[in-house]
């Protein structure tokens, strides 16, 4: 891969409605609820069943009906119409839950999550916004990014303490932000 000093049209994505950029890879959601991925694939973050880089967008198989998605450092997350969360890519710190492997090259359902409306992928952690406005987090917790008052990592999604009525989430490398319905912004982690 080489750098590109000027913008260039990305060809091949059918009717995109949302995009997300990770570490040297990208995701696009189309209006049919399908996901497209391209870029670096060293940890399987393109979800195509292998670890080969792709310089043109490729449809991700094994997942459909996607309503929200997020590209993290080396892992990806998606929420599907039934409110479940799916993940793929690096699982070094259990940011994909208990998928059983250090790398998951195809989308897998993350157990313990239901009724979700949005997700945000950080570096080695993940967060999900439930339809009722509560927030769950899992993965690395070295800097308190799970928001549960401790620093112990978790394969299982845990409640972010003292946070409710959230409208929007964003995850950084080792921190998170939440925008509540009352217009206030809350932050935790590094």
């Amino acid at each position: 891969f080489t750098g590109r000093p000027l913008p260039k049209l990305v060809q091949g994505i059918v009717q995109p409605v949302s995009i997300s950029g990770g570490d040297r890879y990208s995701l696009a959601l189309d209006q049919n609820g399908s996901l497209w991925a391209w870029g670096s694939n060293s940890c399987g973050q393109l979800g195509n069943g292998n670890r080969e880089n792709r310089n043109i967008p490729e449809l991700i198989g094994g997942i459909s009906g996607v309503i929200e998605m997020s590209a993290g450092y080396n892992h990806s997350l998606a929420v599907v119409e039934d409110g479940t969360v799916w993940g793929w890519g690096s699982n070094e710190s259990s940011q994909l839950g208990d998928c059983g492997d250090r790398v998951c090259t195809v989308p897998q359902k993350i157990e313990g999550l239901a009724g979700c409306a949005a997700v945000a992928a950080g570096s080695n952690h993940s967060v999900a916004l439930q339809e009722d406005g509560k927030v769950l987090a899992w993965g690395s917790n070295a800097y308190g990014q799970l928001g549960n008052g401790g620093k112990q990592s978790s394969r299982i999604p845990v409640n972010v303490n003292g946070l409710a009525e959230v409208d929007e989430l964003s995850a950084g490398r080792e921190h998170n932000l939440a925008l509540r319905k009352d217009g206030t912004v809350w932050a935790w982690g590094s």
Side-chain angles (χ1 to χ4, degrees):
F1 293 100
T2 60
R4 187 159 294 175
L6 294 171
K8 182 179 178 184
L9 177 66
V10 176
Q11 302 275 343
I13 304 168
V14 179
Q15 300 172 318
V17 295
S18 182
I19 55 174
S20 184
D23 182 40
R24 298 174 299 156
Y25 80 101
S26 303
L27 298 175
L29 173 63
D30 71 25
Q31 72 176 16
N32 296 320
S34 297
L35 283 176
W36 300 75
W38 67 102
S40 175
N41 197 25
S42 60
C43 295
Q45 62 267 41
L46 301 185
N48 61 5
N50 62 53
R51 294 169 90 173
E52 297 172 14
N53 298 335
R54 297 279 187 249
N55 58 8
I56 58 172
E58 182 177 89
L59 194 61
I60 299 174
I63 189 169
S64 61
V66 176
I67 58 171
E68 290 286 334
M69 52 78 191
S70 178
Y73 182 69
N74 283 328
H75 76 289
S76 304
L77 300 171
V79 179
V80 297
E81 294 166 329
D82 67 1
T84 59
V85 175
W86 295 67
W88 57 97
S90 173
N91 196 33
E92 284 283 321
S93 300
S94 300
Q95 63 266 38
L96 301 178
D98 197 10
C99 87
D101 295 315
R102 292 173 67 110
V103 171
C104 301
T105 61
V106 295
Q108 298 186 28
K109 183 178 172 183
I110 298 175
E111 297 301 322
L113 293 169
C116 293
V119 286
S123 178
N124 292 313
H125 73 284
S126 302
V127 290
L129 172 60
Q130 294 189 300
E131 292 167 350
D132 64 3
K134 293 180 183 170
V135 178
L136 299 169
W138 64 100
S140 175
N141 198 24
Y143 298 96
Q145 58 267 51
L146 300 190
N148 62 354
K151 292 216 176 166
Q152 186 170 349
S153 298
S154 179
R155 292 177 181 266
I156 300 164
V158 297
N159 286 316
V160 174
N161 293 341
L163 197 58
E165 297 185 7
V166 172
D167 251 352
E168 190 176 329
L169 279 178
S170 184
R173 181 174 176 165
E174 292 161 341
H175 76 289
N176 303 296
L177 298 169
L179 174 62
R180 289 187 47 183
K181 293 180 193 288
D182 64 7
T184 59
V185 176
W186 295 67
W188 66 99
S190 178

